Amino acid sequence: MPTRILPAVGDADAVRSITTLLSQLPDAEPVAPVVDSTQLIDTLARLAAESVDELPEVVVVHERIGPVPALELIREVALRFPAVGVILVTSDAGPGLFQAAMDSGARGLVALPLSYEELANRVQAVAQWSVGVRRHLGHTGDVFTGVGGTVVTVSGAKGGVGATVTAVQLALASQASGRSTALVDMDLQTGDVASYLDVQFRRSVVDLAAITDISPRVLADAVFRHDTGVALLLAPGEGERGEEVTDRATRQIVSALRSRYETVVIDCGAQMSGAGAAAVEMADRALLVTTPDVIAVRGAKRTVRMWDRLQIRKAEETTVVVNRQSRATEIQPPLIQKITGTPVAATAVPANFKELQGAVDAGRLHELDSKSAVKQALWGLAGELGLVKVPEADRKGSRLRGDRGAVSFRRRKDGGG
């Protein structure tokens, strides 16, 4: 049986060198190389969605792959696609990097310049390991496809535009529809998720920042299970401790959450930190919340351009959500789309703070009346984003009542809507 090998190499010269050598290996079947970390994860997720047997046995990661650093990328691949063996190709083959690569989940390391014999031996050993893992998974029936949960980040164009309310309601909608959901407060200095949901919990995202191997038990100890069923990973009570959550720690935390929950909603706030940038970069959907006023829309435009300059997120991959929308406002969603250069969500959230005020002041946003137009819009947005499970009857063609993007949910006795 041929060994499928997927090279992940960003440098054009290195691509030619590695693919040429791989094609000479016995029983090797190199596939088209991917040029960055995002393309690698997307390719593996697409193949895994079909079947674990569609995944390549071996992935060869070049040390200069980007934008995610090689070791962090290897860790994510090992976590999400455990039946895939990863080989790191590097110019530094010292014991320090070797140990770091093994700790990240690599199955082997090959030094540059490449040696045919060394590469052949390593590929053969890793391929045998991969086949053995798949055989074991097949016998146990516990095949992990590696697709993982859907990660959605919610950022604000500026403070006070409603990013946290949006994030909370998206998470509640997802959980109420039957999807296991985590809500993360990555607004590390000024996060208010705990206040909105009347939660007092001493653990926070900081407790995971220094842990290199986040096991399910460690993750469970750090999250708070809310009455609605949503798992909360909160911001630290001492804002200055937010600096402990680096972009590398964020990638590990998000990867761990993605592997355990069907939906992960991350409130990134309005201030872009390294942690928030890493979350936005990893997200399947990145939302940017704005209100229909000049100052907020300008802020949204600045944010979109900054993300593009820093190669965090392209404008066309960002979705703007218009909050506090009314027909009386001069700035309408089509104009916002033109100004920001991004898609705008079809579901706009109406301006009706009176509906929210009581629940917000009481810290009981999860008990917001289901008849609230704001709640209906935000839960409709969850449906538009694909964050909810639609009942079988609705999938077969029965139309739901309400505006565009409306969705239906199983009623909960705990007030989750």
Side-chain angles (χ1 to χ4, degrees), residues 23-140:
S23 65
Q24 298 173 3
L25 300 181
D27 298 323
E29 186 181 305
V31 298
V34 295
V35 298
D36 59 37
S37 57
T38 301
Q39 190 179 0
L40 173 61
I41 296 299
D42 289 346
T43 299
L44 294 177
R46 176 176 50 80
L47 294 172
E50 300 176 15
S51 167
V52 69
D53 292 330
E54 296 298 320
L55 288 167
E57 285 77 22
V58 180
V59 170
V60 177
V61 174
H62 192 275
E63 63 180 353
R64 291 198 298 272
I65 194 72
V68 176
L71 292 181
E72 295 180 24
L73 178 61
I74 291 170
R75 185 182 299 277
E76 185 170 0
V77 171
L79 179 66
R80 296 180 60 184
F81 312 96
V84 174
V86 184
I87 296 174
L88 175 63
V89 175
T90 176
S91 55
D92 176 12
L97 181 61
F98 179 85
Q99 185 61 51
M102 296 303 105
D103 290 343
S104 297
R107 301 302 306 177
L109 185 147
V110 176
L112 289 170
L114 291 175
S115 158
Y116 173 86
E117 183 176 352
E118 182 183 9
L119 183 62
N121 290 337
R122 184 47 48 199
V123 166
Q124 182 181 16
V126 173
Q128 290 176 351
W129 171 87
S130 176
V131 171
V133 170
R134 295 176 197 212
R135 187 180 299 117
H136 171 73
L137 292 175
H139 287 165
T140 62

Side-chain angles (χ1 to χ4, degrees), residues 170 285 287-288 318-323 325-326 332-334 336-337 342-350 376-386 399 402-406:
L170 290 178
R285 299 293 297 266
L287 306 184
L288 182 60
T318 302
T319 301
V320 168
V321 176
V322 183
N323 188 25
Q325 174 67 19
S326 74
Q332 294 293 316
I336 295 174
Q337 179 172 339
T342 66
V344 172
T347 306
V349 184
Q376 289 180 2
L378 288 171
W379 286 39
L381 176 63
E384 181 183 334
L385 298 172
R399 244 340 246 180
D403 291 332
R404 57 191 175 184

Side-chain angles (χ1 to χ4, degrees), residues 148-152 170-171 174-175 177 179-183 230-231 257-258 260-265 386-388:
T150 300
V151 176
V152 177
L170 290 178
S174 176
Q175 180 70 35
S177 77
R179 290 172 64 107
S180 59
T181 303
L183 173 59
V230 175
L257 289 165
R258 191 200 295 267
R260 302 293 297 176
Y261 297 94
E262 294 175 88
T263 302
V264 181
V265 181
L387 302 184
V388 300

Side-chain angles (χ1 to χ4, degrees), residues 207-269:
D207 293 294
L208 298 177
I211 299 176
T212 57
D213 185 12
I214 303 175
S215 67
R217 174 171 293 183
V218 169
L219 185 62
D221 287 342
V223 301
F224 176 85
R225 181 70 61 177
H226 192 260
D227 293 342
T228 59
V230 175
L232 303 178
L233 185 56
L234 302 172
E238 304 81 17
E240 65 274 13
R241 295 200 63 195
E243 297 181 0
E244 299 175 32
V245 185
T246 64
D247 55 345
R248 179 178 181 180
T250 300
R251 295 183 192 283
Q252 295 174 5
I253 292 167
V254 173
S255 295
L257 289 165
R258 191 200 295 267
S259 71
R260 302 293 297 176
Y261 297 94
E262 294 175 88
T263 302
V264 181
V265 181
I266 305 175
D267 178 9
C268 294

Side-chain angles (χ1 to χ4, degrees), residues 323-381:
N323 188 25
R324 301 173 197 153
Q325 174 67 19
S326 74
R327 294 181 180 179
T329 56
E330 184 175 346
I331 301 177
Q332 294 293 316
L335 179 58
I336 295 174
Q337 179 172 339
K338 183 177 180 180
I339 292 172
T340 60
T342 66
V344 172
T347 306
V349 184
N352 200 336
F353 183 73
K354 289 184 179 180
E355 294 181 353
L356 295 172
Q357 189 166 7
V360 169
D361 289 345
R364 309 288 290 179
L365 192 57
H366 52 290
E367 294 180 354
L368 185 63
D369 193 332
S370 294
K371 295 181 180 179
S372 161
V374 173
K375 178 175 180 176
Q376 289 180 2
L378 288 171
W379 286 39
L381 176 63

